[in-house]
Structures are given as C-alpha cells and as structure tokens.
Amino acid sequence: MSAANSAEDRGAAATVRESLLAHAAAREGPRRGMIEQLVRSYLDSISRGDIEGRLALFAPDATFEDPVGAAPMVGHEALRAFWTAGAGLEVRTRLELIVVGGDEAAYVFTAEIVGNPDDRVTIRTIETIEVDDNGLISRMRAYFDRNTMA
C-alpha cells in the first residue's frame, strides 16, 4: 500500500465516521438530555431505595416487563407492589451505556444486590424505555438471565 492510498483510506474513514455521527445525532431527537436524566434518576432511585421517587418517573398506566417474557406489570399500584417486595435489599447501580433514539432509550447497567454480607449478587441488565409526551416512562423492559449474574 502506498502512502497516498493510506492517506486516502484515513480520509474515507473520517468521512464514514462523520456520516455515522450525523446520522446518529439526527435520530436522537430534541429530548436526548431529558431522557438521559430520566434514566439516571431511575437508577439513582433504586440505589436510594426511593420507591415513590421511582414511581414519579412512570406514567400512571406504564407497563414494565421484568424480565422480558414475564407478564407485564401495569400501573403504579403493580409497580409499587413489585418494588416493595425487594425493599429490604441494599442495591447499588452503575450506568454503563445509554443509547437514545427519538423517544426511546436502551441502556446497560450493573446492579449489586446485597441481602446480607454473605448473600450478594451482581446483575448486568439491559433495559429499554419508551417515554411519553409528558416526559414519563410509558414502557420499560428488562433483559437479564442467569448468564448476566455473578
């Protein structure tokens, strides 16, 4: 490969990168920052054990599949009951990646769940959300299985 070809290849790669970045930015939509903050607030509410704060992020008729394939929980009452069942556990979350497209997002996070010092599990989860016109989560789906637990 000549030096000229190598420079042309680098120039083409920069053009491809710029093109892909522009395409991704166009799909993000104007609410990207709000959706990112919504995800961060959701994960923070888990770490703080703040069920009511978490519920405030969801539309009254929101659905949540946890995990995907389970019957969806629908509405605040069902979500409150689900989260209250695990309220005695210490949970620490860490956001690893978030991707926003329009009014939806997919994100990866790790949750360390501690029942007692000898009873703990770390779960790496992928969740997707859809956000309604009011900026609330209208649908959430959680993906994890035994291979994502340590």
Side-chain angles (χ1 to χ4, degrees):
M1 173 186 321
S2 72
N5 285 345
S6 179
E8 288 174 17
D9 291 344
R10 283 192 303 273
T15 301
V16 169
R17 183 178 192 282
E18 290 169 3
S19 175
L20 289 172
L21 285 171
H23 183 67
R27 289 191 329 261
E28 290 174 0
R31 302 195 318 161
R32 179 188 177 88
M34 181 275 298
I35 292 172
E36 283 186 0
Q37 185 55 49
L38 187 64
V39 170
R40 291 178 195 286
S41 295
Y42 166 73
L43 294 175
D44 184 57
S45 74
I46 293 171
S47 294
R48 290 184 292 110
D50 182 4
I51 293 172
E52 294 306 313
R54 196 172 324 147
L55 281 171
L57 305 173
F58 284 77
D61 60 346
T63 63
F64 184 20
E65 292 175 60
D66 188 9
V68 168
M73 294 165 271
V74 180
H76 282 192
E77 187 176 320
L79 294 172
R80 183 181 288 110
F82 176 70
W83 291 325
T84 299
L89 301 172
E90 178 186 343
V91 182
R92 290 183 291 260
T93 61
R94 183 175 50 85
L95 181 63
E96 296 178 21
L97 174 70
I98 183 168
V99 180
V100 177
D103 290 331
E104 299 182 34
Y107 53 97
V108 178
F109 72 97
T110 300
E112 181 182 16
I113 304 167
V114 181
N116 64 56
D118 297 324
D119 182 20
R120 64 180 60 225
V121 64
T122 300
I123 303 174
R124 193 166 193 216
T125 302
I126 301 168
E127 287 186 342
T128 61
I129 60 169
E130 296 175 16
V131 179
D132 69 12
D133 292 340
N134 297 315
L136 298 173
I137 299 167
S138 59
R139 182 178 189 205
M140 179 179 276
R141 303 179 82 206
Y143 295 81
F144 66 90
D145 62 22
R146 61 190 172 100
N147 295 315
T148 66
M149 297 180 197

